Amino acid sequence: MRAIISAVSHFAPEEKLTNADLVKLVDTSDEWIVSRTGIKERVILDKDKGTSYMAAKAARSLLEQRKIGPDEIDLIIVATVTPDMFFPSTASIVQHEINATNCWGYDLLVGCAGFIFAFITAKQFIETGQYKKVMVIGSDKMSSITNYKDRNTCILFGDAAGAVLLEPSDDNGPGIMDYIFKTDGSGKNYLQMPGGGSLCPASPESIAKGLHYLQQDGKVVFKKAILGMVDTTRKIMEKNGLSNEDIKFYIPHQANLRIIESAAKKLGLKKEQVVINIEKYGNTTAATIPMALSEIYQAGLLNKGDNIIFSAFGTGFSWGSIFLTWAME
Ligand code: UT7
């Protein structure tokens, strides 16, 4: 028996934040943003709504797609770095929202690799035989921690949620096959939100210094992201005897088009193998991979037996790649 994806969905808010909008806020241009990042617009959630709102929308879509009731869900894992609040967990809020009365849930706070880490955590619960239906949701309201006066970061991020339902298969065929993950905490200072935790609780000083906003050294993260994603993707392909021709879709975390294109080039993948939607959404952190998967599923591009690789890199540093074979008809 293997864990398989039995439903996939996403939710993207309607309000757009275009490059033209950002030009009004910081010293930048559409030409710079498109050429350096590939991003044309992002979607932004209403100020009065939190990450759980998007997560619950994606969760409800999973239930509708799979035609099951919320009481059938055993476990909800929400990957996010922008929980509604530190506690209770966003998973608790989603559980209550969708009325999933027979389950438990928790958040996993990893960042851009959050969805893939949560996904493999969920796989263990299925493959030990413990549970039959686990929801994995990647949801981030990045606009809530973005400094719209900092041109280095505000051009990059957007808000969205993506979700999958994992269930056991009847056989040892298609499903979630393998993964390679890494964490290297020596990179902890290059991408962080320094304020608001136990080390630096909120104070007038922390607010004045902008410590409750995401901060990153873009150049360092850029280089490490390419190296990390290429390394774990190569290794997982070698380990599983996969050649480039065996891969239908490479679904990378969407942080910067140049990161994606450089990684794909180093891996020798063709354009049609690489799933890219960053131009519409920017970097939605934990949501990028399930959202990209959901879009190609909705477009009818996935067939049973297709080999897929997920790959992500982000804060921590934490990164990795997953190999799966699509199991739905
Ligand atoms: O996966 C986890 C998250 N990862 C990421 O978010 C991605 C990481 N990094 C990146 O995407 C890229 O490094 C950035 C898009 C953030 C920056 O691109 P870059 O090609 O590395 O540019 P840079 O930082 O080297 O900046 C080049 C120039 C600088 O000016 P000077 O010093 O050469 O005069 C920047 O001040 O571009 C300037 N710049 C901008 N100019 C116009 C930086 N941001 C902007 C901007 N508009 N928005």
Side-chain angles (χ1 to χ4, degrees):
M1 175 257 284
R2 268 188 221 285
I4 60 164
I5 296 175
S6 59
V8 53
S9 68
H10 69 279
F11 173 79
E14 274 170 23
E15 191 186 330
K16 288 182 178 163
L17 180 68
T18 65
N19 291 350
D21 296 328
L22 288 169
V23 168
K24 293 179 201 148
L25 301 176
V26 290
D27 181 13
T28 190
S29 65
D30 177 55
E31 194 279 329
W32 194 96
I33 302 172
V34 173
S35 64
R36 299 292 183 115
T37 71
I39 303 167
K40 292 181 180 154
E41 57 191 31
R42 316 112 195 97
V43 284
I44 301 291
L45 187 63
D46 301 345
K47 277 214 160 49
D48 64 347
K49 295 189 174 82
T51 288
S52 68
Y53 176 84
M54 300 186 291
K57 287 265 186 197
R60 278 198 203 96
S61 299
L62 287 182
L63 298 174
E64 280 162 24
Q65 203 181 99
R66 186 69 183 82
K67 298 185 175 62
I68 55 170
D71 54 333
E72 289 194 44
I73 301 301
D74 300 307
L75 170 63
I76 300 171
I77 308 176
V78 177
T80 185
V81 284
T82 52
D84 282 22
M85 51 195 100
F86 264 157
F87 55 87
S89 71
T90 303
S92 292
I93 301 168
V94 172
Q95 176 276 327
H96 180 65
E97 264 309 303
I98 67 170
N99 201 26
T101 46
N102 291 319
C103 83
W104 60 291
Y106 59 93
D107 292 359
L108 206 136
L109 194 145
V110 177
C112 297
F115 176 79
I116 60 169
F117 282 22
F119 185 79
I120 291 301
T121 308
K123 164 187 154 78
Q124 316 301 326
F125 283 107
I126 297 286
E127 291 185 359
T128 53
Q130 194 83 19
Y131 295 126
K132 298 267 184 263
K133 290 183 175 62
V134 180
M135 273 185 179
V136 187
I137 307 172
S139 185
D140 269 304
K141 184 185 178 186
M142 296 306 289
S143 62
S144 67
I145 57 164
T146 297
N147 180 357
Y148 288 99
K149 289 183 178 156
D150 175 12
R151 69 175 183 173
N152 292 293
T153 54
C154 74
I155 55 159
L156 297 170
F157 296 96
D159 307 334
V164 296
L165 185 66
L166 296 192
E167 295 188 47
S169 66
D170 299 331
D171 54 27
N172 245 350
I176 305 168
M177 311 300 273
D178 203 1
Y179 62 99
I180 298 178
F181 288 166
K182 295 265 189 160
T183 292
D184 175 6
S186 68
K188 66 185 166 52
N189 295 333
Y190 295 107
L191 178 46
Q192 60 176 349
M193 188 175 78
S198 56
L199 188 62
C200 176
S203 66
E205 293 74 35
S206 71
I207 293 168
K209 287 183 185 160
L211 301 183
H212 301 277
Y213 292 127
L214 170 154
Q215 300 176 354
Q216 83 165 330
D217 183 331
K219 267 193 182 318
V220 174
V221 179
F222 188 98
K223 284 183 199 147
K224 292 278 186 186
I226 296 167
L227 291 172
M229 283 162 57
V230 169
D231 181 58
T232 51
T233 300
R234 269 201 190 121
K235 284 187 176 138
I236 204 147
M237 286 177 66
E238 273 167 29
K239 195 173 158 209
N240 291 278
L242 296 167
S243 69
N244 284 11
E245 291 69 43
D246 297 323
I247 305 299
K248 181 71 188 288
F249 288 118
Y250 177 62
I251 307 184
H253 169 56
Q254 314 277 313
N256 184 317
L257 181 63
R258 285 157 56 224
I259 294 178
I260 297 170
E261 287 180 345
S262 172
K265 193 171 167 199
K266 284 180 196 294
L267 291 165
L269 293 169
K270 295 193 187 112
K271 216 173 167 186
E272 58 270 26
Q273 291 174 291
V274 184
V275 181
I276 298 173
N277 64 5
I278 190 171
E279 70 283 356
K280 294 186 287 182
Y281 304 118
N283 181 350
T284 56
T285 304
T288 63
I289 289 179
M291 187 153 64
L293 182 73
S294 176
E295 286 197 335
I296 58 171
Y297 176 67
Q298 282 181 3
L301 300 175
L302 287 170
N303 293 301
K304 190 172 181 179
D306 285 346
N307 290 325
I308 301 170
I309 289 184
F310 296 159
S311 192
F313 183 98
T315 182
F317 296 127
S318 284
W319 71 100
S321 298
I322 295 172
F323 160 43
L324 63 142
T325 303
W326 194 248
M328 275 198 273
E329 295 291 347

